[in-house]
Protein backbone atom coordinates (compact mmCIF):
# COMPACT_ATOMS: atom_id res chain seq x y z
CA UNK A 1 0.00 0.00 0.00
CA UNK A 2 1.30 3.44 -0.84
CA UNK A 3 0.09 6.87 -1.80
CA UNK A 4 -1.43 9.87 -0.11
CA UNK A 5 -4.13 9.49 2.50
CA UNK A 6 -7.55 10.95 1.74
CA UNK A 7 -9.50 12.85 4.36
CA UNK A 8 -13.29 13.07 4.43
CA UNK A 9 -15.99 13.92 6.95
CA UNK A 10 -16.94 11.15 9.38
CA UNK A 11 -20.49 10.88 8.11
CA UNK A 12 -22.45 9.20 5.35
CA UNK A 13 -21.70 12.01 2.91
CA UNK A 14 -17.99 11.48 3.59
CA UNK A 15 -18.35 7.77 2.81
CA UNK A 16 -19.95 8.66 -0.52
CA UNK A 17 -17.33 11.31 -1.38
CA UNK A 18 -14.37 9.15 -0.40
CA UNK A 19 -15.35 5.48 -0.63
CA UNK A 20 -13.12 2.85 0.90
CA UNK A 21 -12.81 -0.91 1.19
CA UNK A 22 -13.09 -2.08 3.87
CA UNK A 23 -14.54 0.41 6.32
CA UNK A 24 -13.01 -0.48 9.69
CA UNK A 25 -15.37 0.44 12.51
CA UNK A 26 -14.72 0.69 16.26
CA UNK A 27 -17.11 -0.96 18.70
CA UNK A 28 -16.87 -0.43 22.44
CA UNK A 29 -16.10 -3.44 24.61
CA UNK A 30 -18.59 -2.38 27.31
CA UNK A 31 -21.58 -2.27 24.95
CA UNK A 32 -22.08 1.50 25.17
CA UNK A 33 -23.40 3.10 21.97
CA UNK A 34 -20.75 3.17 19.26
CA UNK A 35 -18.72 6.35 18.83
CA UNK A 36 -18.51 8.77 15.90
CA UNK A 37 -18.66 7.28 12.43
CA UNK A 38 -19.46 3.81 13.79
CA UNK A 39 -22.49 5.29 15.55
CA UNK A 40 -23.66 6.99 12.35
CA UNK A 41 -23.30 3.75 10.39
CA UNK A 42 -25.06 1.78 13.16
CA UNK A 43 -27.92 4.30 13.19
CA UNK A 44 -28.30 3.91 9.41
CA UNK A 45 -28.37 0.13 9.92
CA UNK A 46 -31.13 0.44 12.56
CA UNK A 47 -28.78 -0.71 15.35
CA UNK A 48 -27.58 -3.88 13.63
CA UNK A 49 -23.97 -3.36 14.76
CA UNK A 50 -25.00 -2.76 18.36
CA UNK A 51 -27.20 -5.85 18.24
CA UNK A 52 -24.25 -7.99 17.08
CA UNK A 53 -22.24 -6.72 20.03
CA UNK A 54 -25.03 -7.35 22.55
CA UNK A 55 -25.57 -10.84 21.13
CA UNK A 56 -21.89 -11.62 21.71
CA UNK A 57 -21.16 -12.10 18.00
CA UNK A 58 -18.26 -9.60 17.87
CA UNK A 59 -15.02 -11.34 18.91
CA UNK A 60 -13.10 -9.82 21.83
CA UNK A 61 -9.64 -9.65 20.23
CA UNK A 62 -10.14 -10.23 16.51
CA UNK A 63 -12.13 -8.46 13.80
CA UNK A 64 -15.51 -9.41 12.40
CA UNK A 65 -16.01 -8.82 8.68
CA UNK A 66 -19.50 -8.20 7.29
CA UNK A 67 -20.83 -7.39 3.84
CA UNK A 68 -22.02 -3.80 3.63
CA UNK A 69 -25.64 -3.16 2.67
CA UNK A 70 -26.15 -2.03 -0.91
CA UNK A 71 -26.89 1.58 0.03
CA UNK A 72 -23.32 2.06 1.32
CA UNK A 73 -20.72 2.92 -1.35
CA UNK A 74 -18.40 0.15 -0.14
CA UNK A 75 -18.45 -3.63 -0.13
CA UNK A 76 -17.16 -4.62 3.33
CA UNK A 77 -17.38 -3.55 6.95
CA UNK A 78 -14.93 -4.71 9.60
CA UNK A 79 -15.82 -4.41 13.28
CA UNK A 80 -13.01 -4.34 15.82
CA UNK A 81 -13.31 -3.64 19.54
CA UNK A 82 -11.71 -0.45 20.84
CA UNK A 83 -8.47 -1.35 22.60
CA UNK A 84 -8.07 -4.71 20.86
CA UNK A 85 -5.90 -3.43 17.99
CA UNK A 86 -3.21 -0.89 17.20
CA UNK A 87 -3.02 1.10 13.97
CA UNK A 88 -0.37 -1.41 12.82
CA UNK A 89 -2.82 -4.29 13.47
CA UNK A 90 -5.49 -2.55 11.40
CA UNK A 91 -3.02 -1.93 8.57
CA UNK A 92 -1.85 -5.55 8.65
CA UNK A 93 -5.46 -6.75 8.38
CA UNK A 94 -6.04 -4.45 5.40
CA UNK A 95 -2.92 -5.81 3.67
CA UNK A 96 -4.02 -9.40 4.34
CA UNK A 97 -7.41 -8.58 2.83
CA UNK A 98 -5.74 -7.15 -0.27
CA UNK A 99 -7.37 -3.79 0.44
CA UNK A 100 -6.12 -0.94 -1.73
CA UNK A 101 -7.92 1.87 0.13
CA UNK A 102 -9.22 0.95 3.60
CA UNK A 103 -10.94 3.59 5.68
CA UNK A 104 -11.54 4.39 9.32
CA UNK A 105 -12.20 7.17 11.78
CA UNK A 106 -9.08 7.22 14.00
CA UNK A 107 -10.89 9.14 16.76
CA UNK A 108 -13.40 6.29 17.13
CA UNK A 109 -10.51 4.03 18.14
CA UNK A 110 -8.73 6.69 20.19
CA UNK A 111 -5.92 6.95 17.60
CA UNK A 112 -4.37 10.03 16.05
CA UNK A 113 -4.68 10.57 12.30
CA UNK A 114 -0.90 10.79 11.87
CA UNK A 115 -0.25 7.41 13.51
CA UNK A 116 -2.89 5.82 11.27
CA UNK A 117 -1.39 7.42 8.14
CA UNK A 118 2.05 6.07 9.10
CA UNK A 119 0.75 2.56 9.81
CA UNK A 120 -1.05 2.44 6.46
CA UNK A 121 1.83 4.08 4.57
CA UNK A 122 -0.64 6.73 3.47
CA UNK A 123 -2.98 4.34 1.63
CA UNK A 124 -6.02 5.00 3.80
CA UNK A 125 -9.12 7.12 3.94
CA UNK A 126 -9.24 9.07 7.19
CA UNK A 127 -12.75 10.01 8.25
CA UNK A 128 -12.72 12.90 10.69
CA UNK A 129 -15.19 15.20 12.41
CA UNK A 130 -13.16 18.11 11.04
CA UNK A 131 -13.63 16.96 7.43
CA UNK A 132 -11.10 17.55 4.63
Amino acid sequence: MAGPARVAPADLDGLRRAPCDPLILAVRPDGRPPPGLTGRVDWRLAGRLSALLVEGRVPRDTPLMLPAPDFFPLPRLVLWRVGAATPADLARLAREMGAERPGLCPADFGFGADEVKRAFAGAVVIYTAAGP
Side-chain angles (χ1 to χ4, degrees), residues 5 27 35 44 53 57 65 70 73 97 100 110 124 129-130:
V27 293
R44 184 67 171 96
L53 191 63
R57 296 180 55 201
M65 187 170 62
D70 290 340
M97 293 175 70
E100 291 183 26
V124 63

Side-chain angles (χ1 to χ4, degrees), residues 2-132:
R6 287 192 68 184
V7 178
D11 57 25
L12 297 177
D13 184 52
L15 291 175
R16 288 184 184 95
R17 289 191 339 201
C20 65
D21 178 41
L23 175 60
I24 305 169
L25 298 170
V27 293
R28 294 182 177 187
D30 60 7
R32 287 184 296 154
L37 180 59
T38 305
R40 289 177 184 93
V41 169
D42 191 37
W43 177 82
R44 184 67 171 96
L45 294 174
R48 180 174 170 221
L49 304 182
S50 292
L52 290 172
L53 191 63
V54 169
E55 293 166 3
R57 296 180 55 201
V58 178
R60 291 229 173 260
D61 299 324
T62 57
L64 174 66
M65 187 170 62
L66 304 167
D70 290 340
F71 55 81
F72 281 114
L74 49 109
R76 302 177 283 187
L77 302 174
V78 173
L79 304 182
W80 213 327
R81 290 180 188 252
V82 172
T86 66
D89 295 329
L90 300 177
R92 185 172 33 261
L93 171 72
R95 283 191 304 275
E96 290 170 359
M97 293 175 70
E100 291 183 26
R101 186 62 65 172
L104 69 140
C105 180
D108 288 2
F109 285 95
F111 302 145
D114 287 341
E115 67 182 320
V116 169
K117 289 175 188 177
R118 280 191 304 276
F120 283 83
V124 63
V125 180
I126 301 286
Y127 298 102
T128 177

